[in-house]
């Protein structure tokens, strides 16, 4: 079962953000023509969008339509990434003085701003883990759900309910609150079984609630205890709505044979592993990245998320899917195509979202980055144009200039002190 997206409100008729060529893009469903984009197979194409989907893909200059046009010359066009592991309730809280505020308006502001930052990076859908119980009660969940409603048409934000305790007398309130969170609108159930005195009982409680409501499951665990992780895999195998676990940083530190056995059980159960190459997040004790090569070799679907975005767990977190893909490629030896798949197609599957290809009939969830090859885009993808539901919803333009020197002149690099060629080689 996919996370349920919020309903699109009736259009007000106002125009969306301007395309890079200066043309306005219409509201969802009004149509758009992307011109001169390069695909990963080397083709240069035009792409016509309508009704939130890709209507046609043709050679450059072959498509015509009386709709706004966006010039994507010099851009690589990709399926948009998604964010499978965010923490909107704590995001952007590292710089504040004193304890982090969980007042509803503060949480809503942080969750909204964090979602827009990640949308600017290209993530058109996000799954945010939200703590419930303790001092927060259900206040943080209500605030994130309000942020979700305010973002309709810009990005799809889905909430994971994360209770602290679910077993014993102390866990009774948490279990009741978990059910209440789902009734409020949380579309995924999860939490941190490692923090409960009875981790196995915690997992069983989460799976029971998920089965009751037809919800996916997303659990935080280090993976330090292979027997516990194996039991989780065995219990999760019968849940048809999907189970994800992460970040599994301690799994990479297990003896090779023990790690192989538990990874095989995850693969057999169809569990998705969500790794966090940019750093850790709240609720887990071990930093480090899951053994992505071992997981992939065993047939486990591996998705990559961002984790903490400038909170106490990672004060410098960027929340950038392309950085996660870059780290998988540069530090863990994955091909650029596989690394990008971890933040796009694999992450979309983990969230229950439909597949996206730059082909007719697929959802118009797209990211255009300055460059002509995927490896280069992961290296220097600063300029980005984001398309959600068929319209441009975010643009980032980076301009690099060099001082007026002989070497800059010889290489025709963009230089300070002359008319900037922002549409050409000066962008990255």
């Amino acid at each position: 079962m996919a996370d349920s997206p919020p309903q699109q409100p009736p259009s007000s008729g106002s125009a969306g953000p301007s395309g890079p060529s200066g043309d306005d893009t219409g509201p969802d469903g009004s149509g758009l023509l992307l011109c001169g984009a390069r695909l990963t197979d080397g083709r240069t194409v035009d792409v016509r969008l309508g009704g939130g989907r890709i209507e046609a893909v043709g050679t450059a200059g072959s498509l015509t339509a009386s709709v706004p046009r966006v010039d994507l010359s010099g851009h690589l066009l990709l399926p948009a990434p998604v964010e499978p592991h965010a923490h909107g309730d704590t995001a952007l809280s590292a710089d504040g003085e004193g304890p982090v505020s969980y007042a509803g308006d503060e949480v809503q502001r942080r969750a909204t701003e964090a979602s827009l930052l990640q949308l600017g990076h290209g993530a058109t859908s996000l799954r945010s883990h939200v703590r419930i119980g303790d001092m927060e009660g259900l206040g943080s969940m209500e605030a994130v759900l309000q942020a979700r409603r305010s973002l309709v048409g810009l990005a799809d934000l889905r909430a994971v309910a994360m209770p602290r305790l679910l077993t014993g007398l102390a866990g009774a309130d948490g279990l009741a609150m978990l059910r209440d969170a789902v009734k409020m609108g949380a579309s995924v159930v999860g939490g941190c079984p490692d923090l409960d005195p009875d981790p196995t009982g915690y997992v069983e409680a989460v799976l029971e609630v998920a089965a009751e409501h037809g919800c996916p499951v997303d659990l935080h665990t280090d993976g330090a205890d292979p027997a516990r992780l194996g039991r989780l895999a065995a219990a999760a195998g019968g849940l048809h709505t999907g189970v994800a676990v992460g970040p599994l940083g301690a799994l990479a530190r297990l003896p090779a044979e023990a790690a192989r056995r538990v990874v095989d059980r995850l693969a057999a159960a169809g569990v998705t592993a969500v790794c966090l190459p940019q750093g850790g997040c709240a609720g887990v004790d071990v930093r480090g990245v899951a053994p992505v090569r071992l997981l992939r070799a065993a047939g486990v679907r591996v998705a990559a998320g961002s984790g903490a975005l400038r909170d106490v767990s990672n004060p410098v977190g960027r929340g950038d899917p392309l950085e996660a893909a870059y780290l998988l490629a540069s530090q863990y030896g994955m091909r650029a195509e596989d690394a990008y798949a971890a933040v796009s197609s694999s992450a979309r599957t983990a969230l229950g979202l439909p597949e996206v290809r730059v082909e007719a009939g697929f959802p118009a969830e797209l990211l255009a980055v300055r460059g002509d090859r995927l490896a280069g885009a992961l290296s220097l993808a600063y300029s980005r144009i984001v398309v959600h539901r068929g319209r441009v919803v975010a643009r980032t333009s980076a301009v690099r200039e060099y001082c007026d020197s002989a070497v800059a002149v010889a290489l025709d690099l963009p230089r300070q002190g002359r008319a900037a060629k922002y549409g050409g080689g000066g962008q990255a």
Side-chain angles (χ1 to χ4, degrees):
M1 172 180 169
D3 300 0
S4 300
Q7 295 298 309
Q8 176 74 22
S11 171
S12 64
S14 60
S18 295
S21 62
D23 296 323
D24 287 340
T25 64
D28 185 16
S30 65
L32 189 67
L33 186 63
L34 309 178
C35 304
R38 188 178 180 90
L39 303 183
T40 54
D41 62 10
R43 289 181 294 152
T44 301
V45 298
D46 290 348
V47 180
R48 188 173 68 237
L49 313 179
R53 306 191 77 81
I54 298 173
E55 289 186 340
V57 178
T59 56
S62 67
L63 298 183
T64 58
S66 56
V67 296
R69 304 164 66 90
V70 177
D71 182 7
L72 292 185
S73 301
H75 289 76
L76 184 69
L77 188 62
L78 304 165
V82 300
E83 174 51 68
H85 193 116
H87 286 271
D89 55 341
T90 59
L92 307 174
S93 60
D95 296 334
E97 297 182 0
V100 176
S101 171
Y102 288 97
D105 58 342
E106 283 294 309
V107 174
Q108 182 181 343
R109 181 190 61 79
R110 292 198 300 260
T112 304
E113 184 179 352
S115 298
L116 290 174
L117 284 172
Q118 294 187 266
L119 175 65
H121 292 317
T124 59
S125 292
L126 306 95
R127 179 183 279 185
S128 179
H129 297 253
V130 183
R131 293 186 293 188
I132 62 174
D134 295 335
M135 293 184 297
E136 293 88 359
L138 289 170
S140 291
M141 177 59 69
E142 176 55 41
V144 172
L145 292 175
Q146 183 59 41
R148 174 191 183 184
R149 290 187 284 270
S150 71
L151 289 164
V152 169
L154 292 173
D156 289 335
L157 174 64
R158 293 101 187 278
V160 185
M162 285 182 58
R164 179 174 176 81
L165 299 176
L166 287 180
T167 66
L169 291 176
D173 287 344
L175 189 56
M177 203 168 289
L178 179 59
R179 289 188 166 96
D180 287 342
V182 175
K183 293 174 184 176
M184 288 171 59
S187 49
V188 188
V189 293
C192 306
D194 298 351
L195 301 181
D196 194 287
D198 180 5
T200 300
Y202 187 106
V203 171
E204 291 172 351
V206 166
L207 294 175
E208 180 181 346
V209 174
E212 287 175 7
H213 296 276
C215 294
V217 168
D218 199 328
L219 291 166
H220 281 55
T221 180
D222 291 326
D225 186 332
R228 183 187 302 167
L229 193 56
R231 288 193 294 270
L232 187 159
L239 192 71
H240 300 298
T241 51
V243 177
V245 297
L248 299 177
L251 188 58
R253 296 176 172 82
L254 292 179
E257 186 56 36
R260 271 194 293 271
R261 284 197 299 268
V262 72
V263 164
D264 287 341
R265 297 189 70 176
L266 292 173
V271 173
T272 296
V274 180
C275 65
L276 303 178
Q278 296 176 89
C281 63
V284 295
D285 298 325
V286 178
R287 285 188 176 269
V289 179
V292 291
R293 289 183 180 179
L294 178 63
L295 288 161
R296 296 182 70 246
V300 177
R301 179 183 296 109
V302 176
S306 299
L309 173 56
R310 285 165 48 197
D311 66 17
V312 294
S313 299
N314 186 359
V316 295
R318 294 182 180 176
D320 185 351
L322 267 64
E323 183 183 41
Y326 155 78
L327 290 170
L328 289 176
S330 65
Q331 296 190 15
Y332 300 96
M334 291 178 66
R335 296 187 314 126
E337 292 76 11
D338 294 332
Y340 190 73
V343 301
S344 55
S345 58
S346 293
R348 290 187 68 85
T349 301
L351 269 59
L353 296 170
E355 181 182 13
V356 173
R357 300 182 192 172
V358 188
E359 298 177 13
F362 286 87
E365 303 289 319
L366 303 168
L367 171 65
V369 297
R370 175 70 64 169
D372 59 2
R373 297 184 185 278
L374 185 56
L378 297 186
S379 174
L380 291 171
Y382 300 125
S383 294
R384 309 182 192 187
I385 301 164
V386 186
V387 175
H388 173 53
R389 298 186 183 181
R391 69 182 188 122
V392 174
V393 292
R395 293 183 300 145
T396 301
S397 181
V399 178
R400 180 183 292 111
E401 293 183 331
Y402 299 91
C403 66
D404 192 356
S405 64
V407 66
V409 172
L411 296 177
D412 194 29
L413 298 177
R415 290 176 287 134
Q416 300 172 20
R418 69 172 182 176
K421 298 190 295 183
Y422 293 159
Q427 293 190 359

